[in-house]
Amino acid sequence: MRAINKFDLYNRVTLSDGTTPKERMINHCKKNIIYKSRRSPSRKSVLIDSEQKDVVIVSGSNNHVKTICALPNDIIYDGQIVEWEKSHWLISDVDIESSVYYKGVIHQCNINLRWQNKDGEIISRWCYAETNTADGIKEGNTLNLTDGNLTLHLPLDNETRQLRLDRRFLLDIEKDNPTAYKLINRNVVSGIYDENHEHGVYIITLQKSERSHDRDNYELMIADYFKPTEDKSVGINCAIKFDGSPTIKAGGYYKSFNAVFYDKDGSEISQEAIWNVAVIDEHKKYFSIVNEGSTIKIKADNNEGIIGSKIKIELCNSAQNCSAELYVKVVAIL
């Protein structure tokens, strides 16, 4: 039997935690933290972006702001959401000096912001708001509005990065008479340090706005709500054809929509086009519609109030044995 070389055994034991003194010190610290945290009341089992994790949460002077430490070999990122004690917390200010463990700050979220994306899907994101400073009453043309803004901190993701100026939201603890807000500023610098822009804190500023009883859904707390529908621009034996995307630029030129009819074999045929354009009453004065038979042209005035709204174009023939419909969104010209 081969004798054990004492020097080989020493090297194996010594180098098992690293080849350099620094590596060994770091790994010893990691093991020590993991061992001691098991008995610490600060070690919590939480969900981070819906994934189960053990972390250490340390309270400070503010009950709604705490320090979070990931266990060694785990990573946390700015903009992740922590679910803990039936509440949601947003991670920020993550220290990238992570030789031993990652450390950051968590803010308790007090707003569940809700909106619809371009496909009509309802999106909700937990976020926290900074102080709303109200400076009194500002006289508007049709309504007195309290002059105060909200700054919201949200996680950066594929949905939040699509939020643009003039997007409207409903925010309130009551649904019967909610307060409406409009997005007036988006900060994509201060809270985003990831060079690939995959993680970060997305900061937006909201200003109080007017509600719309026709467009806002108080039950769902969604401003400018529209009912999601399947794309029916290609309908039964007919289709609505157009160039580019189904949008009209506010303040732009006329956009043309063309009627195409088919027989049972799919070949184009000539039919009389019957058009109908559905626009909410308060917006009708901002649209110009020209019916040229097989083509209908629509132009929208340069008015901020109609940006983000949708109109519905319906097509059928005189026999009403075919139909197609298309929702067209009004967008800013720039």
Side-chain angles (χ1 to χ4, degrees):
M1 185 175 184
R2 182 183 177 186
I4 298 177
N5 187 306
K6 294 181 179 180
F7 291 101
D8 287 344
L9 180 60
Y10 173 80
N11 286 333
R12 290 179 188 178
V13 173
T14 303
L15 301 180
S16 63
D17 282 334
T19 57
T20 66
K22 181 179 180 180
E23 287 181 359
R24 290 193 290 272
M25 182 178 296
I26 290 174
N27 288 322
H28 288 161
C29 287
K30 288 181 177 181
K31 290 181 178 180
N32 193 38
I33 290 172
I34 292 173
Y35 174 74
K36 288 186 175 180
S37 69
R38 291 172 183 166
R39 295 178 293 176
S40 172
S42 297
R43 180 164 171 167
K44 313 292 183 182
S45 182
V46 303
L47 293 176
I48 299 182
D49 285 352
S50 301
E51 183 180 354
Q52 191 80 36
K53 293 282 188 180
D54 279 0
V55 297
V56 174
I57 296 178
V58 181
S59 298
S61 58
N62 188 333
N63 291 334
H64 305 294
V65 182
K66 302 180 186 294
T67 299
I68 184 172
C69 301
L71 293 184
N73 304 319
D74 282 345
I75 301 176
I76 57 176
Y77 297 100
D78 288 334
Q80 289 186 302
I81 292 292
V82 178
E83 296 180 52
W84 169 56
E85 292 294 340
K86 299 180 180 180
S87 57
H88 295 76
W89 304 72
L90 180 66
I91 299 178
S92 66
D93 302 308
V94 173
D95 188 351
I96 62 174
E97 179 56 47
S98 56
S99 298
V100 180
Y101 62 88
Y102 282 76
K103 179 175 68 173
V105 177
I106 54 173
H107 296 257
Q108 187 173 10
C109 298
N110 56 353
I111 290 177
N112 188 13
L113 192 67
R114 294 166 61 84
W115 70 94
Q116 283 180 292
N117 62 17
K118 62 182 181 179
D119 299 319
E121 180 184 0
I122 295 178
I123 307 300
S124 65
R125 291 292 183 269
W126 283 100
C127 58
Y128 73 91
E130 291 183 344
T131 304
N132 182 13
T133 55
D135 301 322
I137 301 295
K138 180 180 180 180
E139 292 291 334
N141 293 329
T142 58
L143 184 68
N144 290 340
L145 300 174
T146 303
D147 187 10
N149 298 340
L150 281 177
T151 299
L152 303 186
H153 298 247
L154 305 92
L156 175 70
D157 58 38
N158 290 333
E159 294 292 348
T160 57
R161 69 174 71 239
Q162 301 300 323
L163 297 177
R164 290 295 186 267
L165 299 183
D166 295 324
R167 160 79 70 165
R168 295 174 62 253
F169 304 92
L170 298 180
L171 290 177
D172 216 308
I173 59 175
E174 299 292 341
K175 292 184 177 181
D176 294 338
N177 194 26
T179 302
Y181 288 86
K182 179 174 66 173
L183 199 160
I184 62 170
N185 188 49
R186 48 192 295 271
N187 183 341
V188 295
V189 177
S190 299
I192 302 174
Y193 297 92
D194 180 5
E195 294 182 355
N196 296 323
H197 299 162
E198 294 179 357
H199 302 280
V201 177
Y202 186 74
I203 304 172
I204 62 175
T205 302
L206 306 182
Q207 184 181 67
K208 288 188 177 179
S209 180
E210 298 182 26
R211 292 189 301 270
S212 172
H213 296 294
D214 295 324
R215 292 180 289 150
D216 297 344
N217 188 317
Y218 298 162
E219 182 65 26
L220 296 176
M221 291 296 284
I222 300 292
D224 298 321
Y225 177 80
F226 63 95
K227 186 176 180 180
T229 59
E230 296 180 359
D231 182 11
K232 297 182 179 179
S233 60
V234 178
I236 302 173
N237 296 329
C238 64
I240 302 173
K241 300 292 186 179
F242 54 91
D243 292 331
S245 62
T247 59
I248 298 175
K249 294 183 177 180
Y253 298 107
Y254 279 100
K255 183 158 187 170
S256 297
F257 300 88
N258 304 304
V260 180
F261 296 93
Y262 308 96
D263 60 20
K264 62 180 180 179
D265 297 322
S267 300
E268 291 190 18
I269 58 175
S270 177
Q271 295 275 295
E272 180 186 1
I274 308 298
W275 296 99
N276 180 58
V277 180
V279 183
I280 61 176
D281 292 339
E282 62 187 272
H283 288 174
K284 286 183 177 179
K285 60 184 177 182
Y286 301 117
F287 290 90
S288 299
I289 302 172
V290 178
N291 189 336
E292 297 181 345
S294 61
T295 299
I296 191 169
K297 297 180 178 179
I298 303 176
K299 182 173 71 171
D301 292 345
N302 188 9
N303 182 279
E304 290 186 1
I306 63 175
I307 294 175
S309 65
K310 289 193 173 186
I311 63 175
K312 181 181 179 181
I313 303 176
E314 298 173 310
L315 169 67
C316 66
N317 59 1
S318 56
Q320 295 188 351
N321 58 8
C322 70
S323 64
E325 64 183 39
L326 174 69
Y327 284 88
V328 178
K329 185 177 182 178
V330 181
V331 298
I333 194 168
L334 297 178

